[in-house]
Amino acid sequence: MKTKAQHDEDTVEQGPLGTRERIVRTASRLMQRQGYEASGVKQISQEAGATLGSLYHFFPGGKQQLAAEAIRHGDREFADILGEMLDSRPDPAGAIDDCAVALAEGLHASAWLDGCPVTATALGAAGHLPDIQRAAAEAFQRWRELVYEKLRGAGIAEDEARELASTVISTLEGAEMAAQVARSEEPLRAAGRQLARLINSYR
Amino acid sequence: MKTKAQHDEDTVEQGPLGTRERIVRTASRLMQRQGYEASGVKQISQEAGATLGSLYHFFPGGKQQLAAEAIRHGDREFADILGEMLDSRPDPAGAIDDCAVALAEGLHASAWLDGCPVTATALGAAGHLPDIQRAAAEAFQRWRELVYEKLRGAGIAEDEARELASTVISTLEGAEMAAQVARSEEPLRAAGRQLARLINSYR
DNA sequence: GTCTATAAAGGGATAGAC
DNA sequence: GTCTATCCCTTTATAGAC
């Protein structure tokens, strides 16, 4: 016999989500598109199909607590995708280029609305909302580490791999923002090609 | 005999600024730090030493018009700095690395508050405030062109210079955001070194 | 051009019935 | 856990005296 929680953990990803999870996902998506300040708790609860009372039941810390959880959700979401892309081919340069192209196509498909799930929220909170800033810093750090391990596995030395991984994430972040603002895939496609060249220069 | 406007144009940059200019500069600085939504018109007028009536006198289009002008101000401000840095030494790789270091030190000196003067505002407006998005797109385009010309002057071919310039701006943007969130100069310093290496690989 | 006051709407958060 | 109603505050924007 399983408890409900155990059943939910086993469930791969489909089926009716719990209220708390629906709220987190809705908050993550809205803040990704609009940023922290522009995403109201009323809007979030409405679009999540929950009531304001439920939102404050699960998140007594209010909007700040919810935003921090939303960032952690976006963190895991992107880390999963990045991990899969990196595992899908042996050479790191090609994998990163694939990643940039996938980001470009995904952004285009969303009508240039869905940029990085962390950036917009983090920038609105930088400097005066420590919990949110910390969650964002941890997300970037995790993504850098995924790239770092891939580069190490390809035989690149520690110091070089660390600096290179940092630059790969920075460039993808910046290019995604540039692509979103320009409403064009080009900045991301260019970044992918240039990052591949840079990585290959270490072989 | 000169009109007041002609005198102001001649004045290099000091002295008491006009009300309109004070409002634009204050809006630019506040939105750079807090984003579009978090920067209220009351706060802007207060910190600019103006009244709300004056703000709406000069900007009948309200907050949106003011934000677009603030972005154009930040655009010119950064373009001037970037242009000077690029002119200060002949090799583009070293100039870009200098630029990254200068950004890192400036960001650190502002207690990690002053990131890119365009990013925060643009992200909050992407998708539903066309005037602001257009101003941001024009800013990025101008900065890319400055780098492009520098690379062309160093003998890099058109197509390569275009893609490289795009990536340089994307990487600096992304690294500045990463540095701000991590409260560390390292992402920008790493980006500067890696961009220099990438640029030198074209010689 | 500048100022104050105010309108009209929306924000985050809470209380208490169910 | 869920729902509704409401409090209190701030927001953008306007009106009209000076």
Side-chain angles (χ1 to χ4, degrees):
Chain A
M1 183 60 179
K2 293 180 176 179
T3 65
K4 171 126 191 338
Q6 282 168 343
H7 171 74
D8 280 351
E9 281 172 17
D10 290 350
T11 301
V12 182
E13 202 175 89
Q14 220 52 18
L17 268 46
T19 303
R20 186 191 153 94
E21 186 65 15
R22 280 197 329 270
I23 292 173
V24 170
R25 293 190 187 200
T26 305
S28 177
R29 201 188 67 240
L30 284 176
M31 289 182 182
Q32 171 184 33
R33 297 188 174 199
Q34 309 175 338
Y36 175 78
E37 300 283 347
S39 304
V41 287
K42 282 174 180 164
Q43 182 191 16
I44 293 169
S45 59
Q46 261 189 353
E47 296 202 14
T51 62
L52 200 53
S54 294
L55 190 152
Y56 278 98
H57 170 73
F58 288 112
F59 305 94
K63 192 179 174 180
Q64 289 188 35
Q65 183 191 353
L66 177 54
E69 295 234 25
I71 285 193
R72 283 188 282 270
H73 174 79
D75 171 5
R76 289 189 297 271
E77 195 175 50
F78 183 65
D80 288 347
I81 296 172
L82 181 60
E84 282 175 24
M85 301 277 315
L86 292 177
D87 287 345
S88 72
R89 45 188 296 184
D91 64 315
I96 291 298
D97 189 31
D98 285 354
C99 204
V101 171
L103 286 176
E105 291 173 348
L107 183 61
H108 193 166
S110 76
W112 314 107
L113 288 175
D114 294 343
C116 169
V118 169
T119 307
T121 315
L123 271 188
H128 62 121
L129 295 173
D131 291 0
I132 298 174
Q133 170 152 353
R134 194 174 315 116
E138 286 167 4
F140 288 155
Q141 184 54 34
R142 182 194 313 242
W143 303 344
R144 279 191 287 262
E145 273 166 18
L146 285 172
V147 176
Y148 171 80
E149 294 299 338
K150 179 73 175 179
L151 296 172
R152 288 289 289 143
I156 297 178
E158 279 186 24
D159 288 359
E160 292 173 335
R162 181 159 23 250
E163 196 165 293
L164 193 44
S166 168
T167 302
V168 165
I169 296 300
S170 292
T171 300
L172 290 178
E173 287 289 331
E176 178 147 44
M177 197 180 57
Q180 193 171 13
V181 168
R183 304 174 82 87
S184 158
E185 295 187 14
E186 225 8 66
L188 267 166
R189 291 186 175 272
R193 287 188 289 263
Q194 295 299 318
L195 284 177
R197 180 187 178 104
L198 179 62
I199 293 169
N200 280 330
S201 79
Y202 281 94
R203 314 197 32 179
Chain B
M1 183 62 179
K2 293 179 177 181
T3 65
K4 171 123 191 340
Q6 282 169 345
H7 171 74
D8 281 351
E9 282 171 17
D10 289 351
T11 302
V12 182
E13 201 175 90
Q14 222 52 17
L17 269 45
T19 303
R20 186 192 153 95
E21 187 66 15
R22 283 199 325 273
I23 292 173
V24 170
R25 294 191 186 198
T26 305
S28 178
R29 202 188 66 240
L30 284 176
M31 290 183 181
Q32 171 184 31
R33 297 190 173 197
Q34 311 175 337
Y36 175 78
E37 300 285 346
S39 305
V41 287
K42 276 181 179 164
Q43 183 190 16
I44 293 169
S45 61
Q46 262 188 352
E47 297 201 13
T51 62
L52 201 53
S54 292
L55 189 153
Y56 279 98
H57 170 74
F58 287 112
F59 305 96
K63 193 179 174 180
Q64 288 188 35
Q65 182 191 353
L66 176 54
E69 294 234 25
I71 285 193
R72 283 188 282 271
H73 175 78
D75 171 5
R76 288 189 297 270
E77 195 176 48
F78 183 65
D80 287 348
I81 296 172
L82 181 60
E84 282 175 25
M85 302 277 314
L86 291 177
D87 286 346
S88 72
R89 45 189 293 185
D91 65 314
I96 292 297
D97 188 32
D98 285 354
C99 204
V101 171
L103 286 175
E105 292 174 347
L107 183 60
H108 193 166
S110 76
W112 315 107
L113 288 175
D114 294 344
C116 169
V118 168
T119 307
T121 315
L123 271 188
H128 62 119
L129 295 173
D131 290 1
I132 297 173
Q133 169 152 354
R134 193 173 316 118
E138 287 167 3
F140 288 155
Q141 184 55 33
R142 183 194 312 242
W143 303 344
R144 279 191 286 263
E145 273 166 18
L146 284 173
V147 176
Y148 171 80
E149 294 298 340
K150 180 72 175 181
L151 295 172
R152 289 289 290 143
I156 297 178
E158 280 186 23
D159 289 359
E160 292 173 336
R162 180 159 25 249
E163 197 166 290
L164 194 44
S166 169
T167 302
V168 165
I169 296 301
S170 292
T171 300
L172 290 179
E173 287 288 331
E176 177 146 45
M177 197 180 56
Q180 193 170 14
V181 168
R183 303 174 82 88
S184 159
E185 295 186 14
E186 222 10 65
L188 267 166
R189 291 186 176 271
R193 288 188 288 262
Q194 296 298 318
L195 284 177
R197 180 186 177 104
L198 179 62
I199 293 169
N200 280 331
S201 80
Y202 281 94
R203 315 196 27 172

